[in-house]
Amino acid sequence: MEVQAIDAGKIKWEGLHAHKPFRKVTVLGAGTMGAQIAAHFANEGLQVNLLDIAPEDGPKNAIVEAAFKKIKKLKPGPFALDSAANQIRLGNFEEHLEWLKDSEWVIEVVVERMDIKRALMERIEQHVSDSAIISTNTSGLPIHQIAEGRSSDFKRRFLGTHFFNPPRYLKLLELIPTQDTDPGITQRIAHFGRVHLGKGIVVAKDTPNFIGNRIGVFALMKAVQAFTQDGFTVEEVDTLTGPLTGRPKSATFRTADVVGLDVMKHVAANLYDTILDDESRDAFKVPDVLNALIEAGALGAKTRAGFYKKEGKEIKSINPSTGHYESAKPLNLGPIDQIKKAGGLANRMKALYEDSGRAGAFFRKTTHELIAYSAMRIPEISENPADVDRALQWGFGWEMGPFATWDALGFNQILSGIRDEGLPVPEWVSVMESKGIKAFYKQEGDIVSIYTPGVGGYVAEEMPADEYKLATIKSKSGSEIWSNEEAGLVDMGDGVALFEFRSKANSLGFNVIQGIIDAIGLVENNPDLRGIVIANEGKNFSVGANLGELAGAAMEKRFDVIDEAIANFQAAAQRIRYALKPVVVAPHQRVLGGGCEITMAGATQVAALESYMGLVELGVGLVPAGTGTAFLAALASDKAASKFPSQILDHLQVYFQNVAMAKVATSAHMAKEMGYLSPQAKIVMHEGRRFHFAKQSVIDLSESGYLPPPVHTHVKVLGVPGRAALEVAARQFEQGRFISEYDRFLAVQLAHILTGGELSGPTEVHEDYLIDLEREVFLKLLGEEKTQARIKHILTTNKPLRN
């Protein structure tokens, strides 16, 4: 099949770096969505105006100030750093619309009413400059109708920008240009959204609820239908529509409760009212149980009752027959535990599809319905099946969209199932079948192609040059330089190698750690290689050391093996830190314990904004012993304005508190403030850009004549007097009930390392002295019963134990 190269999703990524970035943005509407959009612009350092209506009485800014105060309390928070809030200027529509004249992008995020949005657009046009871009954030109103009555020049600069809630954390940004929108405007917003807001961009047609909500809400309503009509319980539906099938833990009903049942009804009802020609329109009829819950004031999480309700310590769910909340019944889903152990997502879905019981029946029916509906919506909502998949992945947190799922389960098998159930099959799918095409995606070398009905064949996916996928890198012949059972070294090109963790959950066991040492040695001795990037595409960068290995050795009293393993971990961190060629670490998501220490050791870092870093070892009864504690002691000594103990102590107390409380940074910016990322570390909003910029950092460091940093030979530690000050702080934490008695004991052990052990007073020591102290204390703690209990508990329950 011939592969044609066209602009995927109407966005041509090549050359988009030429687009000017925005510096001044105005958000109109300070509700939950508008205020969070403003916060995310502030995260990128933009100057943001946030305006809302003025109340009839009282201060004109009362409404916007109350809304802004409210978002500061949201968890997870919309601000990457508290100081980002200073980038936002608050105002109101009555006094401050004149601010629009200096804004380069104006985003309207007011209530979902056409008359209100149109009236505001008229006012906007009176104030904006003739170069400003104007967009509306709506989840379903027709974009072209919102701009009715405006000038042709206004319409040329107008489009829909549909952010998903919460906008900082959900990747999807749907762009909805109208027939009047200048394509260059769409290109500029796409570039800025991807690079500066970290978004995955999907261009949607101006149809009801666009792509994500049209398909996602259909899937949600069909799952609810299984509850109301097919006899499945709330818990059974959530089991079958959660992580088992590649969906978020919130699954169906917990998602509905979080979103709000009133919001869910509004979206479904809007669709039902507007998709008059949709063959599956009835799927969006609001079910009686949803109406009943809303009438009873049970709107979900915001009213503490929805499909679920917590009574005491028990979480109950609604019985649609009685209207009462009842205790969860045992799952009647057959061999569901066996299916969970079938392997990766594709294998689990195949096992579920083949199951002859209730679980299999649910999965087959809902999968056939979802895939048939998605196929019928092309080309109505999008020309490209991949955009449907991306919208569900980025907007709803699915691991696979409907067309990738179809590929995983087999084209012919699913098509037969759809027909057997009497569901509609679009003509373009029948054309695929007649041509013998049996997959929507195919890969040839490093090129991924997607079957596109409008072309009648495969279209090469165009990826931005600064966005890498490891699968694409590894698909190239000869890309693998070296590997062992749990790690690999891959050629990224241009003389840069990438070291990838391949262990379960990216845990740092013996093979990974030894692999780091071996890989650095290999690169140092290869004249064709400039340096290494340490990165991966796992769910998390790494949550730390392999506790299972440690626990097994501790139970067998093999402390010599543990001593060797810890010494090896420390050696690996030092090899990274003092490698003769640059080692750049590119973390993302959770970067905990040993993963944090590996990151700290890099020559520099390129971190995704959503990197949650912390030295959390005290939570399992241990201390950081992969050079992390020693590094913080040296950092306190380096950062102090002088070598006076009091000035060193000021920095040391902050590091001590962070580690003693197992504090985790809520963004890469916070990790930099906490000392876990170097001052020169680059932070990227889009996670997929880490690889490109980490590679570029290696090249830049190499070409500038890289030398490793000097060894810390004179670290000023504070000795017993300094430890006493930290012990006082630990006692205060315990008295304030922030930590337990055993936590305080552990904090004292941490203070012992940070201040240099039993030294009688302030002394300069070599970093190796502190590293040895780390290992000594770590081994001592492994022998403690309460530490062993903590390790066992987290291995068996995946939850920390506070004993």
Side-chain angles (χ1 to χ4, degrees):
M1 180 66 60
E2 181 182 356
V3 174
Q4 302 184 39
I6 67 170
D7 297 340
K10 303 180 184 177
I11 297 297
K12 187 171 180 61
W13 296 113
E14 184 180 355
L16 284 190
H17 62 276
H19 282 300
K20 293 187 298 182
F22 298 98
R23 295 303 302 156
K24 295 181 179 180
V25 173
T26 294
V27 179
L28 301 175
T32 300
M33 197 66 185
Q36 288 190 84
I37 290 172
H40 198 48
F41 278 109
N43 287 336
E44 185 64 349
L46 273 69
Q47 298 174 45
V48 186
N49 299 318
L50 177 62
L51 279 62
D52 210 316
I53 59 173
E56 293 183 5
D57 300 309
K60 301 291 187 182
N61 273 3
I63 291 174
V64 70
E65 288 174 359
F68 192 60
K69 185 177 180 180
K70 185 177 180 181
I71 69 157
K72 288 183 175 181
K73 298 178 181 179
L74 289 177
K75 299 294 181 184
F79 291 108
L81 272 180
D82 290 344
S83 59
N86 298 330
Q87 295 293 118
I88 299 177
R89 178 170 60 164
L90 305 181
N92 62 80
F93 295 169
E94 189 173 312
E95 298 176 309
H96 302 119
L97 283 181
E98 62 181 31
W99 292 352
L100 271 59
K101 69 178 184 296
D102 297 322
S103 294
E104 299 155 309
W105 182 2
V106 177
I107 307 175
E108 170 270 304
V109 200
V110 298
V111 65
E112 291 279 84
R113 275 181 49 183
M114 183 63 74
D115 58 335
I116 293 176
K117 286 180 180 285
R118 280 181 179 167
L120 186 55
M121 289 299 155
E122 182 178 2
R123 298 178 70 185
I124 290 171
E125 188 170 19
Q126 296 169 6
H127 292 279
V128 292
S129 71
D130 57 9
S131 63
I133 294 172
I134 306 96
S135 72
T136 178
N137 186 83
T138 173
S139 60
L141 293 178
I143 303 300
H144 67 282
Q145 291 183 19
I146 294 173
E148 280 186 7
R150 306 281 56 78
S151 68
S152 58
D153 184 57
F154 183 98
K155 291 179 180 179
R156 182 185 66 81
R157 295 177 283 122
F158 176 78
L159 75 163
T161 49
H162 183 208
F163 290 82
F164 276 63
N165 192 21
R168 172 183 164 186
Y169 300 98
L170 282 185
K171 186 176 179 179
L172 181 60
L173 172 57
E174 290 179 319
L175 303 185
I176 312 97
T178 71
Q179 290 184 342
D180 299 311
T181 306
D182 182 339
I185 298 292
T186 307
Q187 297 274 357
R188 186 180 178 194
I189 295 292
H191 172 73
F192 188 88
R194 186 182 71 86
V195 171
H196 296 283
L197 302 179
K199 296 301 175 187
I201 304 298
V202 170
V203 177
K205 294 186 179 182
D206 191 4
T207 57
N209 289 74
F210 318 125
I211 299 175
N213 280 345
R214 183 74 172 271
I215 305 300
V217 173
F218 176 86
L220 187 76
M221 297 302 285
K222 281 297 180 179
V224 173
Q225 193 176 85
F227 165 61
T228 58
Q229 298 179 16
D230 298 338
F232 287 87
T233 65
V234 164
E235 291 79 11
E236 286 172 338
V237 171
D238 274 0
T239 297
L240 294 169
T241 58
L244 174 67
T245 50
R247 312 270 178 93
K249 289 181 180 179
S250 55
T252 296
F253 293 107
R254 292 189 190 281
T255 295
D257 280 354
V258 169
V259 169
L261 304 196
D262 52 339
V263 175
M264 178 182 172
K265 176 182 177 178
H266 171 79
V267 174
N270 176 68
L271 275 166
Y272 184 79
D273 291 342
T274 54
I275 52 173
L276 303 180
D277 297 326
D278 190 316
E279 77 288 340
S280 299
R281 181 186 179 214
D282 284 350
F284 298 98
K285 278 187 176 178
V286 178
D288 291 341
V289 65
L290 185 58
N291 281 324
L293 285 167
I294 293 171
E295 288 172 10
L299 305 181
K302 56 191 171 187
T303 60
R304 300 190 178 183
F307 285 106
Y308 287 100
K309 182 180 181 181
K310 188 173 184 180
E311 296 183 358
K313 293 185 178 181
E314 184 181 7
I315 298 176
K316 296 182 177 181
S317 60
I318 196 74
N319 181 326
S321 300
T322 65
H324 297 142
Y325 290 96
E326 299 178 359
S327 300
K329 297 179 176 63
L331 298 179
N332 180 20
L333 297 177
I336 195 69
D337 290 334
Q338 184 178 341
I339 292 171
K340 288 178 180 179
K341 298 175 182 176
L345 176 57
N347 288 335
R348 296 197 304 273
M349 289 196 300
K350 288 175 183 176
L352 199 51
Y353 193 88
E354 294 166 3
D355 176 62
S356 59
R358 294 175 74 242
F362 173 96
F363 183 69
R364 285 189 296 275
K365 181 181 179 183
T366 54
T367 299
H368 292 152
E369 290 171 333
L370 170 65
I371 289 176
Y373 188 74
S374 300
M376 289 295 293
R377 301 283 69 77
I378 289 178
E380 178 194 345
I381 63 175
S382 175
E383 302 288 340
N384 186 356
D387 276 343
V388 176
D389 282 353
R390 285 188 275 255
L392 274 297
Q393 288 175 289
W394 296 340
F396 286 77
W398 294 13
E399 290 182 43
M400 282 189 190
F403 295 101
T405 298
W406 197 339
D407 277 2
L409 293 173
F411 182 84
N412 289 338
Q413 177 172 248
I414 292 296
L415 187 56
S416 295
I418 288 172
R419 286 174 172 153
D420 289 345
E421 294 199 37
L423 297 169
V425 176
E427 183 181 351
W428 67 267
V429 171
S430 298
V431 170
M432 277 184 73
E433 182 185 29
S434 69
K435 291 181 177 181
I437 299 172
K438 298 181 179 180
F440 293 93
Y441 295 85
K442 75 172 183 178
Q443 185 162 345
E444 296 175 340
D446 60 350
I447 297 175
V448 176
S449 303
I450 301 133
Y451 183 84
T452 305
V455 175
Y458 285 96
V459 172
E461 182 179 35
E462 182 182 336
M463 290 290 293
D466 62 358
E467 206 172 311
Y468 286 18
K469 289 185 177 179
L470 289 190
T472 303
I473 297 171
K474 291 189 285 188
S475 69
K476 296 180 181 179
S477 177
S479 64
E480 184 120 315
I481 299 171
W482 168 93
S483 67
N484 68 16
E485 295 91 331
E486 294 186 328
L489 191 67
V490 179
D491 185 1
M492 296 182 78
D494 299 314
V496 180
L498 183 142
F499 185 85
E500 177 191 15
F501 308 151
R502 297 175 183 172
S503 54
K504 184 177 180 180
N506 287 339
S507 62
L508 303 175
F510 176 80
N511 287 321
V512 173
I513 295 305
Q514 187 59 48
I516 290 173
I517 295 171
D518 293 343
I520 290 174
L522 188 155
V523 170
E524 284 180 335
N525 291 308
N526 187 331
D528 295 325
L529 293 176
R530 300 170 178 267
I532 296 179
V533 171
I534 298 180
N536 62 71
E537 285 181 326
K539 181 179 179 182
N540 298 300
F541 176 78
S542 177
V543 295
N546 188 327
L547 284 177
E549 286 183 352
L550 288 175
M555 288 179 64
E556 296 172 8
K557 307 296 184 185
R558 297 168 60 198
F559 290 102
D560 58 330
V561 173
I562 297 172
D563 187 28
E564 181 182 351
I566 300 306
N568 212 40
F569 196 115
Q570 293 174 329
Q574 292 294 79
R575 285 293 280 130
I576 293 170
R577 187 170 281 116
Y578 299 118
L580 299 179
K581 294 181 179 180
V583 180
V584 176
V585 189
H588 69 290
Q589 292 298 312
R590 292 200 293 170
V591 190
L592 305 179
C596 183
E597 291 174 296
I598 291 294
T599 302
M600 292 163 69
T604 189
Q605 302 86 17
V606 177
L609 174 73
E610 305 306 336
S611 294
Y612 312 122
M613 298 182 65
L615 296 174
V616 297
E617 286 87 347
L618 269 74
V620 290
L622 298 168
V623 291
T627 74
T629 308
F631 177 82
L632 290 178
L635 190 61
S637 177
D638 289 343
K639 290 185 73 172
S642 73
K643 293 301 180 180
F644 283 113
S646 61
Q647 295 192 333
I648 295 173
L649 185 61
D650 287 343
H651 294 282
L652 202 62
Q653 283 178 321
V654 174
Y655 301 145
F656 171 73
Q657 181 171 338
N658 288 340
V659 180
M661 303 288 283
K663 183 177 180 179
V664 176
T666 56
S667 71
H669 289 296
M670 183 179 287
K672 186 180 282 193
E673 284 194 346
M674 293 170 69
Y676 299 151
L677 293 175
S678 60
Q680 68 271 21
K682 183 175 181 62
I683 297 171
V684 294
M685 298 289 275
H686 194 294
E687 193 174 287
R689 303 178 77 223
R690 292 175 298 130
F691 302 101
H692 172 81
F693 287 104
K695 174 184 173 181
Q696 194 59 50
S697 292
V698 169
I699 294 171
D700 292 345
L701 288 168
S702 174
E703 291 187 348
S704 65
Y706 180 73
L707 283 174
V711 175
H712 286 99
T713 56
H714 294 80
V715 180
K716 184 73 170 287
V717 294
L718 304 183
V720 173
R723 187 176 78 209
L726 298 183
E727 287 179 358
V728 168
R731 192 177 304 279
Q732 291 172 342
F733 297 157
E734 182 190 10
Q735 290 172 345
R737 299 186 178 180
F738 296 109
I739 62 175
S740 69
E741 182 182 358
Y742 192 61
D743 288 327
R744 181 171 67 83
F745 168 76
L746 296 169
V748 169
Q749 307 310 305
L750 173 67
H752 177 79
I753 304 167
L754 286 170
T755 56
E758 296 301 327
L759 298 173
S760 60
T763 308
E764 290 186 342
V765 299
H766 195 285
E767 64 180 34
D768 288 347
Y769 170 82
L770 295 171
I771 290 171
D772 289 342
L773 265 182
E774 282 185 348
R775 192 167 67 255
E776 176 187 308
V777 172
F778 189 95
L779 288 168
K780 170 188 169 185
L781 291 175
L782 264 180
E784 294 282 343
E785 287 186 12
K786 288 188 175 182
T787 288
Q788 293 175 8
R790 288 189 176 196
I791 293 173
K792 181 179 179 181
H793 191 269
I794 203 162
L795 288 174
T796 54
T797 69
N798 201 31
K799 295 179 181 178
L801 173 67
R802 295 294 299 276
N803 54 0

